Amino acid sequence: MTDDVCVLLPTYDETATVADVVTDFRDHGFTNILVIDGGSTDDTRERARDAGARVEIQSGSGKGQAIREAVREHINTNYVLMADADGTYRASDADAMLEPLRSGTVEHVIGDRFADMHDDAMTGLNRVGNTIFNGLFSLIHREDFGDILSGYRAFTVDSFKRLRLSADGFGIETELAVECARHGVRTTVVPITYLPRPDGSNTNLHPVRDGGIILMAIYRQAKTSNPLFYFGSAGAVSGIAGVLVAAYVGYDWFVNGIPHNVLAIVAGVGIILGVQLLIFGVLSDLLVTLHGETLDRVEALEREFDSTSAGTADGPTADDAADASEGEERADPPEQ
């Protein structure tokens, strides 16, 4: 059964692969395939339509904007199976991706490319970058999602709408992982196969530029999920820089008798700023912890209220019946 699933394929100049990707998913029983195109200058849209996909042109630009617009305006199914249209993912992994959603155990599924990655599927630089980003994400957000940059995902539309997403480009995968961790969206990781791009297909990813965007996205999101790391790391950099400058000033003063008044002021400011940022990080982390505990208590009270309301709606309880009986016994006898 695939009527409850929309296969979402964001595209930009994927004429070499999009038809094969659409055909692959159709061969595996998926009929609701949405290609949302970012203004391709080649034959991407025509090839997608010929292969049997529904094609929409996004109003803005970037993969993140395309995904948000597609879910908000063009998808009316319960589940979304999102993949890249570059031929690196297999439709045969779709059932494994969707099964945790249909069982109701999770709301978001990430396909782990490293579980079965072909040798030429990723460059050495990209492998190193992915390892660093995944480790940094686990450290900051206290969750291990295995492969946060994977483009093969499945999720419920309801859970997606709870997330606050703003990334327009390739930072969308990172933002999805961060928001799932922040909002407690039940997430699991499923092993998938990751293939090399077919010949004639060129990547839209720029490792240095997009790597910097991803790194900043991970760090920027830490200010609300792990403020101690966010402010503490900045404080550590400032404090260490101040100590190093102070060491140089002290050495040149005591050994060579040369004063550096300006550098001494800079060193003092750096150390003080570092200490203040660290203290601010500790206080912010305490506030976030208290906020989380408060939300947990509110949710527990809401669940208790809902269960009580459900019991009342089912009919009068035994205590209600006893009170009514006592009321009848105490009632005045009818007049003769």
Side-chain angles (χ1 to χ4, degrees):
M1 176 181 176
T2 61
D3 294 341
D4 57 350
V5 179
C6 177
V7 177
L8 174 60
L9 303 175
T11 60
Y12 181 75
D13 288 348
E14 298 287 5
T15 186
T17 56
V18 65
D20 291 336
V21 173
V22 172
T23 301
D24 189 20
F25 278 104
R26 288 184 64 86
D27 289 344
H28 282 80
F30 295 93
T31 56
N32 188 354
I33 302 175
L34 171 62
V35 169
I36 183 157
D37 186 70
S40 295
T41 57
D42 56 15
D43 298 330
T44 295
R45 295 190 292 274
E46 290 76 12
R47 288 181 176 271
R49 288 193 187 97
D50 292 342
R54 174 166 55 106
V55 178
E56 300 287 348
I57 302 176
Q58 68 183 95
S59 59
S61 61
K63 183 178 181 181
Q65 193 276 336
I67 294 170
R68 294 197 305 273
E69 182 175 330
V71 176
R72 184 176 63 246
E73 300 181 8
H74 303 297
I75 293 177
N76 54 13
T77 57
N78 294 328
Y79 308 120
V80 175
L81 181 66
M82 185 181 79
D84 294 333
D86 56 6
T88 56
Y89 299 111
R90 303 191 311 180
S92 56
D93 289 325
D95 289 337
M97 296 282 292
L98 293 167
E99 192 280 330
L101 297 181
R102 288 175 169 153
S103 66
T105 57
V106 300
E107 300 168 286
H108 194 101
V109 179
I110 299 174
D112 183 6
R113 299 170 295 173
F114 293 94
D116 183 21
M117 182 180 292
H118 287 216
D119 293 338
D120 299 331
M122 188 180 291
T123 65
L125 177 62
N126 286 345
R127 286 176 184 265
V128 172
N130 272 267
T131 301
I132 292 174
F133 294 147
N134 282 298
L136 189 61
F137 174 85
S138 299
L139 175 64
I140 294 175
H141 300 286
R142 305 181 182 98
E143 293 280 1
D144 184 8
F145 289 160
D147 186 10
I148 65 169
L149 302 183
S150 174
Y152 204 8
R153 293 170 183 255
F155 49 83
T156 64
V157 172
D158 289 341
S159 69
F160 185 89
K161 291 180 178 179
R162 298 204 310 267
L163 308 181
R164 297 178 60 187
L165 303 171
S166 60
D168 288 332
F170 285 101
I172 185 64
E173 286 91 356
T174 303
E175 196 172 47
L176 280 169
V178 170
E179 286 292 294
C180 284
R182 177 189 299 173
H183 293 281
V185 174
R186 291 169 295 156
T187 304
T188 191
V189 180
V190 170
I192 61 170
T193 298
Y194 189 58
L195 305 172
R197 270 180 169 265
D199 294 336
S201 173
N202 298 317
T203 180
N204 295 315
L205 179 69
H206 300 277
V208 177
R209 183 195 68 189
D210 293 320
I213 293 174
I214 293 168
L215 181 62
M216 288 306 300
I218 295 175
Y219 181 73
R220 186 176 62 253
Q221 297 288 344
K223 65 176 175 285
T224 52
S225 58
N226 191 348
L228 180 58
F229 178 89
Y230 181 80
F231 294 105
S233 58
V237 171
S238 177
I240 291 173
V243 169
L244 292 176
V245 173
Y248 168 74
V249 171
Y251 175 82
D252 227 18
W253 168 260
F254 288 109
V255 175
N256 302 318
I258 301 175
H260 296 283
N261 296 332
V262 175
L263 287 181
I265 296 174
V266 170
V269 170
I271 294 172
I272 293 172
L273 179 62
V275 173
Q276 288 179 333
L277 285 173
L278 181 60
I279 294 174
F280 190 73
V282 171
L283 294 176
S284 299
D285 191 68
L286 177 61
L287 290 175
V288 168
T289 301
L290 293 175
H291 178 66
E293 292 177 354
T294 301
L295 288 179
D296 290 340
R297 292 175 182 175
V298 170
E299 290 175 358
L301 290 173
E302 288 178 346
R303 288 193 296 269
E304 183 179 350
F305 176 78
D306 291 341
S307 62
T308 303
S309 300
T312 304
D314 290 339
T317 62
D319 292 338
D320 293 335
D323 292 341
S325 176
E326 290 180 8
E328 292 176 358
E329 292 176 357
R330 290 195 301 264
D332 293 334
E335 294 182 0
Q336 299 297 325

